[in-house]
Amino acid sequence: LVQADGRYIALIAHEGKTYAMDATCYHMGGPLLHADIEDMGDFGPAVVCPWHRYQISLETGDGLYKNMAQQTCSKGGRQRVHPVQV
């Protein structure tokens, strides 16, 4: 967890890559530092908010969901993500 420009940013290391996104979920402020990470197929890894199970792409910040055919779809960019330089 780091703070920059008044924002708390979660740094998440997953499978050799580091991601950065706002530390609270866009939906209702759930703590993403306590989130699980799931593979979402073509959308790559996603954090799963521990409060309401919202799935958020680590790469793009897109909100993800499964449609009636159980295909993963995007709601578009919902979560603020930040570039990472290591």
Side-chain angles (χ1 to χ4, degrees):
L1 182 67
V2 296
Q3 187 175 12
D5 296 327
R7 295 189 161 300
Y8 287 99
I9 299 171
L11 296 176
I12 301 167
H14 179 69
E15 295 184 352
K17 191 167 181 185
T18 303
Y19 304 89
M21 64 174 43
D22 284 4
T24 56
C25 179
Y26 70 88
H27 174 238
M28 291 194 65
L32 296 181
L33 286 176
H34 300 286
D36 290 331
I37 298 174
E38 293 182 0
D39 179 16
M40 299 304 291
D42 292 341
F43 291 96
V47 294
V48 181
C49 179
W51 284 5
H52 299 106
R53 307 279 309 150
Y54 274 53
Q55 299 164 324
I56 305 164
S57 167
L58 286 173
E59 292 275 349
T60 64
D62 283 11
L64 305 174
Y65 68 97
K66 298 256 186 192
N67 66 13
M68 296 298 282
Q70 292 303 301
Q71 297 169 316
T72 302
C73 301
S74 172
K75 300 180 210 176
R78 298 284 192 234
Q79 185 77 18
R80 187 176 306 211
V81 293
H82 306 278
V84 176
Q85 294 181 6
V86 183

